[in-house]
Every structure is written in structure tokens, then in C-alpha cells.
mmCIF file of all heavy atoms in Angstrom:
data_model
loop_
_atom_site.group_PDB
_atom_site.id
_atom_site.type_symbol
_atom_site.label_atom_id
_atom_site.label_comp_id
_atom_site.label_asym_id
_atom_site.label_seq_id
_atom_site.Cartn_x
_atom_site.Cartn_y
_atom_site.Cartn_z
ATOM 1 N N THR A 216 149.153 164.914 -94.869
ATOM 2 C CA THR A 216 148.886 164.849 -93.436
ATOM 3 C C THR A 216 147.336 165.054 -93.163
ATOM 4 O O THR A 216 146.697 165.910 -93.838
ATOM 5 C CB THR A 216 149.673 165.892 -92.622
ATOM 6 O OG1 THR A 216 151.018 165.678 -92.778
ATOM 7 C CG2 THR A 216 149.356 165.797 -91.139
ATOM 8 N N VAL A 217 146.845 164.294 -92.315
ATOM 9 C CA VAL A 217 145.524 164.384 -91.836
ATOM 10 C C VAL A 217 145.527 164.767 -90.425
ATOM 11 O O VAL A 217 146.408 164.261 -89.590
ATOM 12 C CB VAL A 217 144.592 163.199 -92.018
ATOM 13 C CG1 VAL A 217 145.095 162.036 -91.416
ATOM 14 C CG2 VAL A 217 143.073 163.539 -91.768
ATOM 15 N N TYR A 218 144.662 165.673 -89.857
ATOM 16 C CA TYR A 218 144.566 166.025 -88.557
ATOM 17 C C TYR A 218 143.114 165.742 -87.962
ATOM 18 O O TYR A 218 142.212 165.812 -88.646
ATOM 19 C CB TYR A 218 144.742 167.543 -88.479
ATOM 20 C CG TYR A 218 146.039 168.081 -89.092
ATOM 21 C CD1 TYR A 218 146.083 168.490 -90.303
ATOM 22 C CD2 TYR A 218 147.232 168.087 -88.297
ATOM 23 C CE1 TYR A 218 147.251 168.951 -90.920
ATOM 24 C CE2 TYR A 218 148.423 168.586 -88.874
ATOM 25 C CZ TYR A 218 148.382 168.985 -90.245
ATOM 26 O OH TYR A 218 149.537 169.527 -90.713
ATOM 27 N N LEU A 219 143.072 165.474 -86.689
ATOM 28 C CA LEU A 219 141.844 165.381 -85.959
ATOM 29 C C LEU A 219 141.928 166.233 -84.685
ATOM 30 O O LEU A 219 142.638 165.914 -83.755
ATOM 31 C CB LEU A 219 141.489 163.855 -85.601
ATOM 32 C CG LEU A 219 140.248 163.652 -84.767
ATOM 33 C CD1 LEU A 219 139.154 163.815 -85.693
ATOM 34 C CD2 LEU A 219 140.236 162.215 -84.270
ATOM 35 N N GLN A 220 141.253 167.202 -84.692
ATOM 36 C CA GLN A 220 141.112 168.213 -83.592
ATOM 37 C C GLN A 220 139.869 167.743 -82.841
ATOM 38 O O GLN A 220 138.720 167.720 -83.312
ATOM 39 C CB GLN A 220 140.963 169.618 -84.069
ATOM 40 C CG GLN A 220 140.718 170.638 -82.849
ATOM 41 C CD GLN A 220 141.953 170.782 -82.046
ATOM 42 O OE1 GLN A 220 143.057 170.956 -82.619
ATOM 43 N NE2 GLN A 220 141.693 170.774 -80.805
ATOM 44 N N MET A 221 140.083 167.492 -81.466
ATOM 45 C CA MET A 221 138.969 167.024 -80.654
ATOM 46 C C MET A 221 138.965 167.945 -79.468
ATOM 47 O O MET A 221 139.814 168.219 -78.787
ATOM 48 C CB MET A 221 139.089 165.650 -80.136
ATOM 49 C CG MET A 221 139.083 164.535 -81.352
ATOM 50 S SD MET A 221 138.996 162.839 -80.679
ATOM 51 C CE MET A 221 137.311 162.845 -79.972
ATOM 52 N N ASN A 222 137.702 168.449 -79.274
ATOM 53 C CA ASN A 222 137.523 169.375 -78.180
ATOM 54 C C ASN A 222 136.445 168.886 -77.234
ATOM 55 O O ASN A 222 135.768 167.907 -77.631
ATOM 56 C CB ASN A 222 136.918 170.656 -78.701
ATOM 57 C CG ASN A 222 137.940 171.382 -79.669
ATOM 58 O OD1 ASN A 222 139.108 171.455 -79.518
ATOM 59 N ND2 ASN A 222 137.294 171.965 -80.747
ATOM 60 N N ARG A 223 136.371 169.367 -76.075
ATOM 61 C CA ARG A 223 135.471 169.005 -75.014
ATOM 62 C C ARG A 223 135.576 167.421 -74.764
ATOM 63 O O ARG A 223 134.458 166.800 -74.859
ATOM 64 C CB ARG A 223 134.003 169.467 -75.296
ATOM 65 C CG ARG A 223 133.940 170.971 -75.587
ATOM 66 C CD ARG A 223 132.505 171.404 -75.548
ATOM 67 N NE ARG A 223 131.573 170.592 -76.480
ATOM 68 C CZ ARG A 223 131.505 170.912 -77.869
ATOM 69 N NH1 ARG A 223 132.328 171.767 -78.375
ATOM 70 N NH2 ARG A 223 130.712 170.250 -78.548
ATOM 71 N N LEU A 224 136.665 166.996 -74.596
ATOM 72 C CA LEU A 224 136.873 165.535 -74.450
ATOM 73 C C LEU A 224 136.175 164.878 -73.229
ATOM 74 O O LEU A 224 136.111 165.562 -72.244
ATOM 75 C CB LEU A 224 138.471 165.240 -74.493
ATOM 76 C CG LEU A 224 139.067 165.349 -75.868
ATOM 77 C CD1 LEU A 224 140.655 165.542 -75.678
ATOM 78 C CD2 LEU A 224 138.804 164.143 -76.684
ATOM 79 N N LYS A 225 135.769 163.823 -73.443
ATOM 80 C CA LYS A 225 135.020 162.959 -72.433
ATOM 81 C C LYS A 225 135.832 161.685 -72.139
ATOM 82 O O LYS A 225 136.518 161.185 -73.028
ATOM 83 C CB LYS A 225 133.610 162.572 -72.828
ATOM 84 C CG LYS A 225 132.799 163.812 -73.427
ATOM 85 C CD LYS A 225 131.514 163.287 -73.978
ATOM 86 C CE LYS A 225 130.618 164.506 -74.365
ATOM 87 N NZ LYS A 225 129.314 164.020 -75.044
ATOM 88 N N PRO A 226 135.561 161.249 -70.980
ATOM 89 C CA PRO A 226 136.247 159.867 -70.573
ATOM 90 C C PRO A 226 135.963 158.738 -71.568
ATOM 91 O O PRO A 226 136.830 157.881 -71.845
ATOM 92 C CB PRO A 226 135.768 159.604 -69.292
ATOM 93 C CG PRO A 226 135.468 160.935 -68.539
ATOM 94 C CD PRO A 226 134.830 161.733 -69.704
ATOM 95 N N GLU A 227 134.753 158.769 -72.143
ATOM 96 C CA GLU A 227 134.435 157.751 -73.169
ATOM 97 C C GLU A 227 135.160 157.848 -74.500
ATOM 98 O O GLU A 227 135.108 157.011 -75.364
ATOM 99 C CB GLU A 227 132.956 157.670 -73.415
ATOM 100 C CG GLU A 227 132.248 158.952 -73.642
ATOM 101 C CD GLU A 227 131.672 159.705 -72.443
ATOM 102 O OE1 GLU A 227 132.232 159.622 -71.356
ATOM 103 O OE2 GLU A 227 130.512 160.165 -72.520
ATOM 104 N N ASP A 228 135.880 158.998 -74.678
ATOM 105 C CA ASP A 228 136.686 159.047 -75.810
ATOM 106 C C ASP A 228 138.022 158.413 -75.742
ATOM 107 O O ASP A 228 138.794 158.239 -76.607
ATOM 108 C CB ASP A 228 137.096 160.582 -76.086
ATOM 109 C CG ASP A 228 135.835 161.345 -76.482
ATOM 110 O OD1 ASP A 228 135.046 160.878 -77.262
ATOM 111 O OD2 ASP A 228 135.626 162.452 -76.083
ATOM 112 N N THR A 229 138.271 157.810 -74.446
ATOM 113 C CA THR A 229 139.537 157.171 -74.313
ATOM 114 C C THR A 229 139.606 155.931 -75.114
ATOM 115 O O THR A 229 138.625 155.061 -75.118
ATOM 116 C CB THR A 229 139.571 156.617 -72.748
ATOM 117 O OG1 THR A 229 139.689 157.811 -71.877
ATOM 118 C CG2 THR A 229 140.706 155.858 -72.647
ATOM 119 N N ALA A 230 140.594 155.793 -75.820
ATOM 120 C CA ALA A 230 140.801 154.646 -76.905
ATOM 121 C C ALA A 230 142.225 154.710 -77.642
ATOM 122 O O ALA A 230 142.853 155.739 -77.331
ATOM 123 C CB ALA A 230 139.701 154.678 -77.882
ATOM 124 N N VAL A 231 142.550 153.841 -78.372
ATOM 125 C CA VAL A 231 143.563 153.749 -79.243
ATOM 126 C C VAL A 231 143.096 154.267 -80.585
ATOM 127 O O VAL A 231 142.140 153.765 -81.083
ATOM 128 C CB VAL A 231 144.263 152.410 -79.414
ATOM 129 C CG1 VAL A 231 145.430 152.538 -80.415
ATOM 130 C CG2 VAL A 231 144.783 151.950 -78.025
ATOM 131 N N TYR A 232 143.620 155.374 -81.017
ATOM 132 C CA TYR A 232 143.256 156.045 -82.183
ATOM 133 C C TYR A 232 144.170 155.606 -83.340
ATOM 134 O O TYR A 232 145.409 155.762 -83.233
ATOM 135 C CB TYR A 232 143.183 157.527 -82.097
ATOM 136 C CG TYR A 232 142.042 158.052 -81.257
ATOM 137 C CD1 TYR A 232 141.998 157.859 -79.913
ATOM 138 C CD2 TYR A 232 140.950 158.705 -81.899
ATOM 139 C CE1 TYR A 232 140.896 158.246 -79.254
ATOM 140 C CE2 TYR A 232 139.867 159.135 -81.123
ATOM 141 C CZ TYR A 232 139.860 158.884 -79.856
ATOM 142 O OH TYR A 232 138.804 159.279 -79.111
ATOM 143 N N TYR A 233 143.541 155.121 -84.515
ATOM 144 C CA TYR A 233 144.438 154.572 -85.561
ATOM 145 C C TYR A 233 144.095 155.570 -86.788
ATOM 146 O O TYR A 233 142.854 155.869 -87.193
ATOM 147 C CB TYR A 233 143.852 153.283 -85.998
ATOM 148 C CG TYR A 233 144.296 152.172 -84.940
ATOM 149 C CD1 TYR A 233 143.264 151.957 -83.838
ATOM 150 C CD2 TYR A 233 145.441 151.589 -84.951
ATOM 151 C CE1 TYR A 233 143.708 150.945 -82.907
ATOM 152 C CE2 TYR A 233 145.808 150.628 -83.987
ATOM 153 C CZ TYR A 233 144.958 150.339 -82.949
ATOM 154 O OH TYR A 233 145.160 149.403 -82.011
ATOM 155 N N CYS A 234 145.174 155.915 -87.482
ATOM 156 C CA CYS A 234 144.870 156.636 -88.672
ATOM 157 C C CYS A 234 144.779 155.601 -89.875
ATOM 158 O O CYS A 234 145.550 154.567 -89.949
ATOM 159 C CB CYS A 234 146.286 157.461 -89.051
ATOM 160 S SG CYS A 234 146.464 158.303 -90.519
ATOM 161 N N ASN A 235 143.985 155.942 -90.909
ATOM 162 C CA ASN A 235 143.685 155.085 -92.027
ATOM 163 C C ASN A 235 143.711 155.938 -93.285
ATOM 164 O O ASN A 235 143.347 157.094 -93.273
ATOM 165 C CB ASN A 235 142.457 154.371 -91.834
ATOM 166 C CG ASN A 235 141.890 153.621 -93.146
ATOM 167 O OD1 ASN A 235 141.280 154.137 -93.950
ATOM 168 N ND2 ASN A 235 142.513 152.376 -93.279
ATOM 169 N N ALA A 236 144.326 155.311 -94.349
ATOM 170 C CA ALA A 236 144.368 156.130 -95.577
ATOM 171 C C ALA A 236 144.133 155.009 -96.735
ATOM 172 O O ALA A 236 144.594 153.878 -96.678
ATOM 173 C CB ALA A 236 145.665 156.770 -95.757
ATOM 174 N N ARG A 237 143.552 155.528 -97.741
ATOM 175 C CA ARG A 237 143.328 154.784 -99.021
ATOM 176 C C ARG A 237 144.298 155.429 -100.082
ATOM 177 O O ARG A 237 144.050 156.590 -100.397
ATOM 178 C CB ARG A 237 141.881 154.864 -99.522
ATOM 179 C CG ARG A 237 140.804 154.293 -98.628
ATOM 180 C CD ARG A 237 139.527 154.469 -99.033
ATOM 181 N NE ARG A 237 138.480 154.491 -97.929
ATOM 182 C CZ ARG A 237 137.342 155.124 -97.860
ATOM 183 N NH1 ARG A 237 136.955 155.718 -98.934
ATOM 184 N NH2 ARG A 237 136.580 154.935 -96.828
ATOM 185 N N ILE A 238 145.227 154.782 -100.372
ATOM 186 C CA ILE A 238 146.372 155.275 -101.143
ATOM 187 C C ILE A 238 146.728 154.409 -102.484
ATOM 188 O O ILE A 238 146.834 153.104 -102.244
ATOM 189 C CB ILE A 238 147.611 155.506 -100.218
ATOM 190 C CG1 ILE A 238 147.430 156.390 -99.211
ATOM 191 C CG2 ILE A 238 148.854 155.719 -101.138
ATOM 192 C CD1 ILE A 238 148.586 156.424 -98.148
ATOM 193 N N THR A 239 146.927 155.036 -103.505
ATOM 194 C CA THR A 239 147.487 154.289 -104.647
ATOM 195 C C THR A 239 149.002 154.572 -104.560
ATOM 196 O O THR A 239 149.381 155.769 -104.608
ATOM 197 C CB THR A 239 146.886 154.773 -105.884
ATOM 198 O OG1 THR A 239 145.596 154.536 -106.064
ATOM 199 C CG2 THR A 239 147.639 154.274 -107.054
ATOM 200 N N ALA A 240 149.876 153.566 -104.482
ATOM 201 C CA ALA A 240 151.317 153.680 -104.230
ATOM 202 C C ALA A 240 152.084 153.462 -105.520
ATOM 203 O O ALA A 240 151.673 152.648 -106.324
ATOM 204 C CB ALA A 240 151.736 152.633 -103.202
ATOM 205 N N GLY A 241 153.014 154.252 -105.762
ATOM 206 C CA GLY A 241 154.025 153.968 -106.899
ATOM 207 C C GLY A 241 153.166 154.219 -108.230
ATOM 208 O O GLY A 241 152.448 155.231 -108.432
ATOM 209 N N ALA A 242 153.357 153.192 -109.040
ATOM 210 C CA ALA A 242 152.777 153.165 -110.332
ATOM 211 C C ALA A 242 151.649 152.185 -110.464
ATOM 212 O O ALA A 242 151.243 151.757 -111.502
ATOM 213 C CB ALA A 242 153.825 152.742 -111.514
ATOM 214 N N LEU A 243 151.199 151.772 -109.356
ATOM 215 C CA LEU A 243 150.064 150.836 -109.272
ATOM 216 C C LEU A 243 148.755 151.379 -109.774
ATOM 217 O O LEU A 243 148.559 152.699 -109.799
ATOM 218 C CB LEU A 243 149.803 150.190 -107.864
ATOM 219 C CG LEU A 243 151.020 149.552 -107.299
ATOM 220 C CD1 LEU A 243 150.745 149.023 -105.750
ATOM 221 C CD2 LEU A 243 151.419 148.343 -108.089
ATOM 222 N N LYS A 244 147.802 150.516 -110.300
ATOM 223 C CA LYS A 244 146.488 150.978 -110.829
ATOM 224 C C LYS A 244 145.536 150.977 -109.779
ATOM 225 O O LYS A 244 144.356 151.493 -109.964
ATOM 226 C CB LYS A 244 146.222 150.073 -111.964
ATOM 227 C CG LYS A 244 147.090 150.121 -113.054
ATOM 228 C CD LYS A 244 147.087 151.354 -113.796
ATOM 229 C CE LYS A 244 148.002 151.366 -115.166
ATOM 230 N NZ LYS A 244 148.088 152.579 -115.718
ATOM 231 N N TYR A 245 145.635 150.383 -108.626
ATOM 232 C CA TYR A 245 144.715 150.179 -107.607
ATOM 233 C C TYR A 245 145.100 150.951 -106.314
ATOM 234 O O TYR A 245 146.286 151.281 -106.181
ATOM 235 C CB TYR A 245 144.437 148.833 -107.226
ATOM 236 C CG TYR A 245 145.589 147.943 -106.867
ATOM 237 C CD1 TYR A 245 145.913 147.871 -105.515
ATOM 238 C CD2 TYR A 245 146.421 147.428 -107.641
ATOM 239 C CE1 TYR A 245 147.049 147.144 -105.067
ATOM 240 C CE2 TYR A 245 147.672 146.649 -107.381
ATOM 241 C CZ TYR A 245 147.825 146.543 -105.987
ATOM 242 O OH TYR A 245 149.036 145.921 -105.607
ATOM 243 N N PHE A 246 144.117 150.970 -105.424
ATOM 244 C CA PHE A 246 144.452 151.629 -104.030
ATOM 245 C C PHE A 246 144.366 150.442 -102.975
ATOM 246 O O PHE A 246 143.572 149.523 -103.086
ATOM 247 C CB PHE A 246 143.418 152.747 -103.682
ATOM 248 C CG PHE A 246 142.004 152.428 -103.480
ATOM 249 C CD1 PHE A 246 141.711 151.897 -102.279
ATOM 250 C CD2 PHE A 246 141.099 152.467 -104.424
ATOM 251 C CE1 PHE A 246 140.437 151.600 -102.053
ATOM 252 C CE2 PHE A 246 139.813 152.070 -104.284
ATOM 253 C CZ PHE A 246 139.425 151.754 -103.031
ATOM 254 N N ASP A 247 145.184 150.703 -101.932
ATOM 255 C CA ASP A 247 145.058 149.811 -100.833
ATOM 256 C C ASP A 247 144.806 150.735 -99.451
ATOM 257 O O ASP A 247 144.897 151.886 -99.572
ATOM 258 C CB ASP A 247 146.428 149.202 -100.656
ATOM 259 C CG ASP A 247 146.701 147.949 -101.620
ATOM 260 O OD1 ASP A 247 145.682 147.394 -101.883
ATOM 261 O OD2 ASP A 247 147.802 147.756 -102.036
ATOM 262 N N TYR A 248 144.433 150.005 -98.467
ATOM 263 C CA TYR A 248 144.244 150.576 -97.148
ATOM 264 C C TYR A 248 145.470 150.438 -96.349
ATOM 265 O O TYR A 248 146.148 149.352 -96.342
ATOM 266 C CB TYR A 248 143.049 149.950 -96.468
ATOM 267 C CG TYR A 248 141.665 150.066 -97.245
ATOM 268 C CD1 TYR A 248 141.226 149.254 -98.036
ATOM 269 C CD2 TYR A 248 140.917 151.263 -96.742
ATOM 270 C CE1 TYR A 248 140.006 149.420 -98.666
ATOM 271 C CE2 TYR A 248 139.750 151.412 -97.328
ATOM 272 C CZ TYR A 248 139.168 150.452 -98.434
ATOM 273 O OH TYR A 248 138.004 150.534 -99.032
ATOM 274 N N TYR A 249 145.829 151.567 -95.730
ATOM 275 C CA TYR A 249 147.063 151.579 -94.897
ATOM 276 C C TYR A 249 146.579 152.136 -93.478
ATOM 277 O O TYR A 249 145.768 152.966 -93.409
ATOM 278 C CB TYR A 249 148.101 152.494 -95.509
ATOM 279 C CG TYR A 249 148.648 151.977 -96.794
ATOM 280 C CD1 TYR A 249 148.039 152.334 -98.074
ATOM 281 C CD2 TYR A 249 149.806 151.247 -96.848
ATOM 282 C CE1 TYR A 249 148.508 151.876 -99.211
ATOM 283 C CE2 TYR A 249 150.318 150.832 -98.049
ATOM 284 C CZ TYR A 249 149.700 151.082 -99.199
ATOM 285 O OH TYR A 249 150.168 150.584 -100.475
ATOM 286 N N TRP A 250 147.356 151.571 -92.528
ATOM 287 C CA TRP A 250 146.983 151.842 -91.131
ATOM 288 C C TRP A 250 148.210 152.331 -90.380
ATOM 289 O O TRP A 250 149.369 151.812 -90.653
ATOM 290 C CB TRP A 250 146.459 150.695 -90.437
ATOM 291 C CG TRP A 250 145.058 150.171 -90.843
ATOM 292 C CD1 TRP A 250 144.852 149.351 -91.713
ATOM 293 C CD2 TRP A 250 143.754 150.741 -90.269
ATOM 294 N NE1 TRP A 250 143.375 149.177 -91.906
ATOM 295 C CE2 TRP A 250 142.871 150.011 -91.021
ATOM 296 C CE3 TRP A 250 143.507 151.656 -89.419
ATOM 297 C CZ2 TRP A 250 141.475 150.228 -90.737
ATOM 298 C CZ3 TRP A 250 142.055 151.867 -89.181
ATOM 299 C CH2 TRP A 250 141.141 151.140 -89.799
ATOM 300 N N GLY A 251 148.018 153.270 -89.542
ATOM 301 C CA GLY A 251 149.112 153.635 -88.593
ATOM 302 C C GLY A 251 149.135 152.650 -87.428
ATOM 303 O O GLY A 251 148.401 151.669 -87.315
ATOM 304 N N GLN A 252 150.043 152.726 -86.555
ATOM 305 C CA GLN A 252 150.290 151.914 -85.423
ATOM 306 C C GLN A 252 149.347 152.110 -84.290
ATOM 307 O O GLN A 252 149.200 151.287 -83.396
ATOM 308 C CB GLN A 252 151.693 151.898 -85.007
ATOM 309 C CG GLN A 252 152.712 151.324 -85.929
ATOM 310 C CD GLN A 252 152.534 149.824 -86.290
ATOM 311 O OE1 GLN A 252 152.399 149.009 -85.478
ATOM 312 N NE2 GLN A 252 152.268 149.641 -87.565
ATOM 313 N N GLY A 253 148.790 153.222 -84.339
ATOM 314 C CA GLY A 253 147.769 153.687 -83.300
ATOM 315 C C GLY A 253 148.525 154.513 -82.162
ATOM 316 O O GLY A 253 149.663 154.528 -81.827
ATOM 317 N N THR A 254 147.682 155.415 -81.605
ATOM 318 C CA THR A 254 148.184 156.279 -80.548
ATOM 319 C C THR A 254 147.164 156.320 -79.389
ATOM 320 O O THR A 254 145.917 156.520 -79.795
ATOM 321 C CB THR A 254 148.532 157.796 -81.106
ATOM 322 O OG1 THR A 254 149.088 158.509 -80.113
ATOM 323 C CG2 THR A 254 147.267 158.427 -81.748
ATOM 324 N N GLN A 255 147.604 156.167 -78.241
ATOM 325 C CA GLN A 255 146.614 156.085 -77.155
ATOM 326 C C GLN A 255 146.125 157.467 -76.701
ATOM 327 O O GLN A 255 146.938 158.415 -76.505
ATOM 328 C CB GLN A 255 147.362 155.514 -75.913
ATOM 329 C CG GLN A 255 146.553 155.430 -74.608
ATOM 330 C CD GLN A 255 145.413 154.430 -74.704
ATOM 331 O OE1 GLN A 255 145.522 153.188 -75.209
ATOM 332 N NE2 GLN A 255 144.281 154.837 -74.397
ATOM 333 N N VAL A 256 144.878 157.667 -76.569
ATOM 334 C CA VAL A 256 144.250 158.923 -75.955
ATOM 335 C C VAL A 256 143.659 158.431 -74.738
ATOM 336 O O VAL A 256 142.674 157.599 -74.931
ATOM 337 C CB VAL A 256 143.339 159.536 -77.024
ATOM 338 C CG1 VAL A 256 142.598 160.707 -76.327
ATOM 339 C CG2 VAL A 256 144.148 160.041 -78.199
ATOM 340 N N THR A 257 144.054 158.984 -73.666
ATOM 341 C CA THR A 257 143.427 158.783 -72.302
ATOM 342 C C THR A 257 142.688 160.058 -71.785
ATOM 343 O O THR A 257 143.561 161.106 -71.639
ATOM 344 C CB THR A 257 144.400 158.215 -71.367
ATOM 345 O OG1 THR A 257 144.934 157.025 -71.875
ATOM 346 C CG2 THR A 257 143.756 157.863 -70.033
ATOM 347 N N VAL A 258 141.469 160.039 -71.458
ATOM 348 C CA VAL A 258 140.767 161.143 -70.943
ATOM 349 C C VAL A 258 140.442 160.959 -69.506
ATOM 350 O O VAL A 258 139.656 159.959 -69.203
ATOM 351 C CB VAL A 258 139.473 161.559 -71.748
ATOM 352 C CG1 VAL A 258 138.899 162.792 -71.219
ATOM 353 C CG2 VAL A 258 139.977 161.679 -73.285
#
């Protein structure tokens, strides 16, 4: 799990926030980029 703690939020922080990870899956030798679906933050 990765966390993002944001304080003193501003209206310009309003956006869809996406999680990203570089992961080697299973028995593969390489890594791929994975994305979450996004979560809306409205300030």
C-alpha cells in the first residue's frame, strides 16, 4: 500500500488522483506500469 497525506489543501489541488506502480508480476522477468482507476479530490 502507498499513501498520500495532503495537508493545507488548496482549490488548485482539485483533480482526479491516480495511483501508479511499477510491478514485476508473477514469474516475469520485467516490470510493467499499473494504474488505478482514479479518485476524485475536490477542494
Side-chain angles (χ1 to χ4, degrees):
T216 299
V217 63
Y218 306 90
L219 182 68
Q220 175 70 44
M221 298 192 67
N222 303 317
R223 305 192 308 278
L224 285 162
K225 305 174 181 179
E227 50 262 45
D228 293 319
T229 296
V231 178
Y232 285 70
Y233 296 90
C234 178
N235 173 263
R237 303 171 200 159
I238 295 174
T239 296
L243 300 177
K244 300 291 186 180
Y245 59 91
F246 68 83
D247 284 328
Y248 295 91
Y249 295 86
W250 291 94
Q252 293 299 306
T254 183
Q255 177 71 46
V256 173
T257 302
V258 183

